[in-house]
Amino acid sequence: MSALDDLLTCLRFPSVSTDPKHRGDVRACADWLLAKLRSLGLDAALHETPGHPVLLARNVHRPGRRTVLLYGHYDVQPPEPLGEWKSPPFEPVVRDGRIYARGATDNKGQLMAHVAGLEATLAAHGDLPVNLTILFEGEEEIGSPNLRPFLEAHRDELACDIVAISDTGMVAAGVGTFTYGLRGIACLEVRVHGPSIDLHSGIFGGTVANPATVAARLAASLHDAEGRVAIPGFYDSVRPLQEWERAAWAELGDGETETLELTGSPALFGEPGFNERERRWARPTAEVNGIGGGWQGAGSKTVIPREAFVKISFRLVPDQDPAAILDLAEQHLRSQAPAGVRLEIVRGHTGSAYLTDPQSHLGQAACRALEKTFGGRVALIREGGSIPIVQDFKQVLGADTLLLGLALPDCQAHAPNENFPVASFEAGIRLNQELLRELAS
Ligand code: BES
Ligand code: ZN
């Protein structure tokens, strides 16, 4: 089986971690990966968690060699809206040099590049140059609720010098990219409870607070008119961008045009005083991810809904503390709600931002591997997305993480028609071989 065939097989498992009806599919994907890693001669096992299984694998660790932990996730985001896919999300196809499927880029394409890189190294040398530990999980897309306890329980077994992850992006095709920072995240849901039943809006309109109106007001209260987050204290602990970062990012070319194209939005909008990249990579945000309540069907229905909701997530930067931000948000939201509704605030997953030193010894080794793979200069960037477990690797295992992403800006992660260029997959396989070599020396 070629590496590409393996990736296509992996993509056929609908391993959607949020959806209980796919529980068996998530496990089947883990079982398939287990068999694949065993076929490479690694000592591999599935570990049960209260959720989806963790896959651990290792070669024989020998003293005196560097220990590298490769992390990836085999779960995927839900594929909906299904009608917008040009081919079914779990029937991968290659069109115009790109593999189309849910998970093609996030994260199965990148995870399988690790696996195929190992396979190629083993085929060429019969051995790996490092002590290797593989940790693949099935719950990244739901915030890795069981992974921190797993790290704590397996601290000794997982001890390593460095973690490497390919689950971020490249600035452009062919440009080796080292991501030295990620934003953190903090989620919450506000449920607005009003009357005990849906009310006739003619009979009762004007006498009680309307939960849908309150939900809209709460959502709108998160920002000022120009796009700054309006929660008091929100920016207090934000670490300012450094001059070298602003300069390095400015050299990457015009991010605004590309983002306009990728998003299809009529214009960009956001916090004044920062350009588009700075706002995405180094500034914190508040986003409404969903809002609802009341009549959603055809035509009008004259009701005052008894409840409504807003789902909110914050992207965080160093040195914001996720729990402290949720406290501030909760205080703010409660202060904005009128009498006549009861707010129920349910906290969701959290993770701190991550920042590491790209000039560290192993950071430099990773940059050499990127240079050898892609040629040219390596782009040093931060990213807006979050991989909360990298902070846990630091806190529990004491290890830094090298983020060597392969996703391109137009791979449509989390969206319909997610795709991964075959050329990116092949480059990823070479990168993994170079990386092992560089990290060994
Ligand atoms: N691969 C992404 C994270 C990512 C994407 C990092 C792009 C940098 C650039 C990951 O699978 C993801 O989507 N993470 C979630 C985390 C959340 C569910 C806790 C995210 O960022 O929304
Ligand atoms: Zn993702």
Side-chain angles (χ1 to χ4, degrees):
M1 262 239 200
S2 73
L4 180 60
D5 287 332
D6 277 339
L7 172 55
L8 298 179
T9 303
C10 186
L11 288 168
R12 282 187 196 103
F13 295 98
S15 50
V16 182
S17 49
T18 38
D19 189 344
K21 88 169 185 282
H22 283 300
R23 206 178 164 77
D25 298 313
V26 179
R27 171 162 301 265
C29 187
D31 281 332
W32 179 81
L33 280 167
L34 172 70
K36 176 70 204 175
L37 294 179
R38 283 186 174 156
S39 78
L40 301 186
L42 300 176
D43 179 12
L46 284 189
H47 295 256
E48 299 305 329
T49 74
H52 302 299
V54 169
L55 173 50
L56 269 193
R58 55 201 266 141
N59 63 351
V60 177
H61 287 197
R62 291 186 238 142
R65 301 201 309 177
R66 197 162 269 143
T67 302
V68 179
L69 188 147
L70 294 178
Y71 163 89
H73 63 95
Y74 63 87
D75 64 320
V76 299
Q77 285 274 328
E80 285 76 14
L82 292 175
E84 291 183 25
W85 285 79
K86 292 196 188 108
S87 52
F90 298 108
E91 294 171 32
V93 290
V94 180
R95 275 198 309 273
D96 304 326
R98 288 182 180 234
I99 306 153
Y100 284 82
R102 168 56 83 232
T105 183
D106 183 6
N107 178 234
K108 289 174 175 174
Q110 304 188 69
L111 174 148
M112 289 305 294
H114 285 311
V115 174
L118 297 175
E119 188 164 15
T121 301
L122 286 166
H125 306 286
D127 191 14
L128 300 175
V130 298
N131 296 335
L132 179 82
T133 304
I134 288 181
L135 171 62
F136 290 160
E137 72 153 320
E139 300 191 305
E140 196 272 351
E141 299 290 6
I142 51 173
S144 306
N146 295 299
L147 199 53
R148 167 121 192 179
F150 184 88
L151 297 186
E152 283 163 353
H154 295 78
R155 203 184 286 264
D156 296 336
E157 209 179 326
L158 294 170
C160 60
D161 299 300
I162 191 78
V163 178
I165 303 181
S166 289
D167 193 21
T168 50
M170 296 173 57
V171 290
V175 181
T177 303
F178 182 89
T179 298
Y180 63 91
L182 292 172
R183 287 196 290 192
I185 191 165
C187 302
L188 63 78
E189 177 174 344
V190 190
R191 296 180 194 152
V192 184
H193 301 283
S196 56
I197 48 168
D198 283 4
L199 301 175
H200 189 295
S201 66
I203 299 176
F204 294 104
T207 63
V208 297
N210 181 320
T213 307
V214 174
R217 188 180 293 284
L218 295 181
S221 78
L222 293 171
H223 299 92
D224 69 14
E226 292 185 284
R228 285 180 207 90
V229 176
I231 298 174
F234 184 75
Y235 292 104
D236 283 0
S237 51
V238 168
R239 198 190 299 179
L241 253 159
Q242 299 191 31
E243 270 319 309
W244 75 264
E245 309 185 87
R246 290 195 120 146
W249 299 352
E251 278 179 32
L252 298 174
D254 178 13
E256 311 225 336
T257 308
E258 184 183 46
T259 297
L260 269 177
E261 264 167 34
L262 288 169
T263 59
S265 290
L268 299 184
F269 176 77
E271 191 188 4
F274 298 90
N275 68 32
E276 170 272 344
R277 278 204 188 99
E278 293 164 353
R279 297 204 299 266
R280 278 196 300 134
W281 295 350
R283 298 296 296 170
T285 59
E287 293 294 346
V288 173
N289 301 125
I291 183 164
W295 178 240
Q296 311 280 321
S300 56
K301 180 175 187 236
T302 49
V303 287
I304 296 172
R306 67 186 183 85
E307 60 184 12
F309 68 87
V310 195
K311 292 177 187 248
I312 300 167
S313 61
F314 300 96
R315 293 290 165 165
L316 308 178
V317 300
D319 298 306
Q320 290 177 300
D321 170 39
I325 289 295
L326 290 182
D327 289 343
L328 291 176
E330 180 158 354
Q331 262 170 35
H332 168 78
L333 292 165
R334 290 195 185 284
S335 79
Q336 299 294 308
V341 293
R342 181 174 62 82
L343 295 193
E344 183 192 355
I345 297 186
V346 183
R347 296 188 178 203
H349 37 246
T350 56
S352 306
Y354 182 71
L355 202 56
T356 184
D357 175 13
Q359 308 303 337
S360 70
H361 187 58
L362 293 179
Q364 291 296 298
C367 287
R368 282 197 301 278
L370 287 166
E371 270 162 26
K372 287 187 176 156
T373 306
F374 294 100
R377 270 176 65 192
V378 172
L380 296 182
I381 69 167
R382 299 203 222 168
E383 287 238 53
S386 309
I387 309 178
I389 200 66
V390 295
Q391 278 294 354
D392 298 319
F393 287 139
K394 184 75 187 171
Q395 284 165 15
V396 181
L397 307 178
D400 281 310
T401 295
L402 306 168
L403 295 162
L404 307 172
L406 300 167
L408 297 185
D410 58 355
C411 282
Q412 308 201 175
H414 293 203
N417 303 305
E418 178 177 353
N419 64 86
F420 193 49
V422 176
S424 296
F425 182 54
E426 288 166 348
I429 297 172
R430 293 197 303 280
L431 173 63
N432 275 280
Q433 294 167 264
E434 296 291 358
L435 183 68
L436 291 185
R437 254 198 294 279
E438 290 295 339
L439 291 179
S441 63

